[in-house]
Amino acid sequence: MPLRIYLIGAGVISRTHAKAISELNVGDDVELSVADTNTKALQDFSKEFPHARLFEDVPSMLEEPAQPDDIVVVATPPFTHFKLACAALHTKRHVLCEKPLAVSQEQAEEMLELARSQDRFIGCCSDRFIGTPATEKVKQLIQSDQLGNLYHVTFIHRGQRGRPGIEYQPNSKWFLNHQQSGGGVVMDWGPYDFATLNDLLSPVKIEVLSAWLETPETDLQLPENTVFDVETHAGAQLLYYLSNGSTVSVNYERSSCTHGSERSIAEIEGLKGAVNWDWQSWEGPGKVDYTFDKNGILESDQHIAKSETTIHAMDRPLIYFYWKTQGKPSPAIVNEQAVFNFSCIQAIYECVATGRPQTVDLNSFHKASF
Ligand SMILES: NC(=O)c1ccc[n+]([C@@H]2O[C@H](COP(=O)([O-])OP(=O)(O)OC[C@H]3O[C@@H](n4cnc5c(N)ncnc54)[C@H](O)[C@@H]3O)[C@@H](O)[C@H]2O)c1
């Protein structure tokens, strides 16, 4: 049997998954199917990928009997992820879902329950920036104790104008509508941010101590009836509890619109050394800057981390997930870890909504039932 990939949604991101298939190293032995309720989207997709089987609805695409290696990719706006991912899991296929995994905590936990009961993986595409040479180098510095006991992380990425639905991909107005997107910049970028932080720090528990969400005002002429009710600037103070018993203070900030300055920093500080690095490497290589004390003098070790096999960020989710389904070593984010990472994002929203600190415990997702 060929490897069968089923894409739900034929929009912007779906095409990147279709392109990634050629990087799976399975030759031509792949059957690609795609379903979209929008005929024009299907037709446009078909021009680029003429070999794909086209379906106007998801049930018709998934009605054929499942094979053990089948992969369904949910590549539609967030408010549809839950229903579509569950429908695909019910057919007993592995499901790779676009980020954010869902739009509510309940949905994410139900997806995990269903994946478990079907003995399939539910994965999230939030792993686009993990497993890169630079981030792996940082992991090695942490694991070899070259940073010592970790105590502080700064993860700040402030863009002045990069709002999806406005400056970026202006035709996809769903990004601006809370009901459809689940939230703004935290839902859009948080999945990548917390995938990276959690991959490196492996927290067993996190606390969101305080958080804020804002939407700086700009002069806009959006089409009539456009709903724009999501945050474009956010921040949170978190506490990460590590498996060795230590706690790390995490200063998190993200913006797609601020009147303040643009800046970007990913830095981890420990008692023996600190590292900042290009965590958001699209092509593969990235700079790693390690500073430490040697005989009372501040030393700096800067280098470009590279690997012989370069995987582009947009190809990583499908490739990593495919490896996972094949039982190979993979940094894919699936099942409990996918729901834990999503819960960290939800905890930021919950902290703002309730005005109270929020706790997320990885162990709670490992229980047989919630
Ligand atoms: N655009 C990006 O750069 C980007 C990057 C990474 C992740 N993502 C994520 O990918 C997902 C999709 O984003 P996009 O930019 O491709 O959106 P898009 O607006 O370009 O396309 C979404 C497609 O889904 C289809 N669709 C909606 N409901 C459907 C349903 N019930 N059944 C079948 N098809 C349906 C729409 O008709 C549309 O063609 C989102 O979760 C987003 O966060 C997007």
Side-chain angles (χ1 to χ4, degrees), residues 7-17 35-42 55-58 74-81 83-84 97-101 125 128 164 168-169 171-175 181 187-188 192 282 314:
L7 300 177
I8 306 184
V12 171
I13 207 63
S14 179
R15 289 160 204 219
T16 68
H17 291 301
D36 198 304
T37 43
N38 179 328
T39 316
K40 167 92 173 52
L42 270 184
F55 296 86
E56 284 178 2
D57 65 274
V58 177
V74 177
T76 52
F79 73 103
T80 64
H81 290 179
K83 199 170 152 207
L84 296 170
C97 187
E98 261 306 336
K99 40 63 55 176
L101 185 63
C125 294
R128 285 197 168 88
Y168 173 74
Q169 218 170 299
N171 289 334
S172 298
K173 293 286 181 240
W174 60 260
F175 278 108
S181 58
M187 272 296 200
D188 193 31
Y192 298 132
W282 294 90
M314 300 316 275

Side-chain angles (χ1 to χ4, degrees), residues 74-260:
V74 177
T76 52
F79 73 103
T80 64
H81 290 179
F82 172 69
K83 199 170 152 207
L84 296 170
C86 289
L89 284 168
H90 273 298
T91 69
K92 224 172 167 40
R93 291 177 163 98
H94 296 297
V95 175
L96 174 62
C97 187
E98 261 306 336
K99 40 63 55 176
L101 185 63
V103 294
S104 74
Q105 189 64 31
E106 295 71 28
Q107 288 185 349
E109 292 180 8
E110 225 177 298
M111 285 155 90
L112 174 58
E113 281 278 13
L114 183 57
R116 274 185 188 142
S117 70
Q118 297 289 83
D119 197 18
R120 300 287 88 188
F121 287 120
I122 175 79
C124 184
C125 294
S126 53
D127 50 13
R128 285 197 168 88
F129 302 106
I130 67 169
T132 64
T135 298
E136 287 301 297
K137 173 70 188 168
V138 173
K139 198 183 274 179
Q140 193 195 322
L141 288 170
I142 294 171
Q143 289 173 354
S144 60
D145 202 33
Q146 281 168 279
L147 300 184
N149 228 16
L150 308 181
Y151 63 90
H152 188 227
V153 173
T154 312
F155 209 79
I156 295 179
H157 301 286
R158 297 161 49 104
Q160 287 174 320
R161 295 290 185 280
R163 295 165 290 191
I166 299 176
E167 288 89 9
Y168 173 74
Q169 218 170 299
N171 289 334
S172 298
K173 293 286 181 240
W174 60 260
F175 278 108
L176 303 173
N177 182 335
H178 193 283
Q179 264 200 335
Q180 298 184 351
S181 58
V185 71
V186 177
M187 272 296 200
D188 193 31
W189 275 98
Y192 298 132
D193 299 336
F194 286 94
T196 301
L197 288 171
N198 294 355
D199 177 55
L200 282 173
L201 301 175
S202 305
V204 290
K205 186 172 89 170
I206 66 114
E207 271 177 357
V208 178
L209 302 175
S210 67
W212 50 270
L213 306 168
E214 295 296 346
T215 310
E217 293 164 23
T218 60
D219 197 5
L220 279 176
Q221 263 139 33
L222 294 173
E224 215 182 326
N225 300 326
T226 303
V227 178
F228 179 17
D229 60 356
V230 296
E231 84 284 352
T232 57
H233 194 179
Q237 197 59 48
L238 299 101
L239 207 52
Y240 268 53
Y241 292 79
L242 310 192
S243 56
N244 66 3
S246 62
T247 53
V248 183
S249 173
V250 177
N251 178 12
Y252 175 72
E253 190 183 337
R254 256 285 166 200
S255 78
S256 56
C257 179
T258 169
H259 303 307

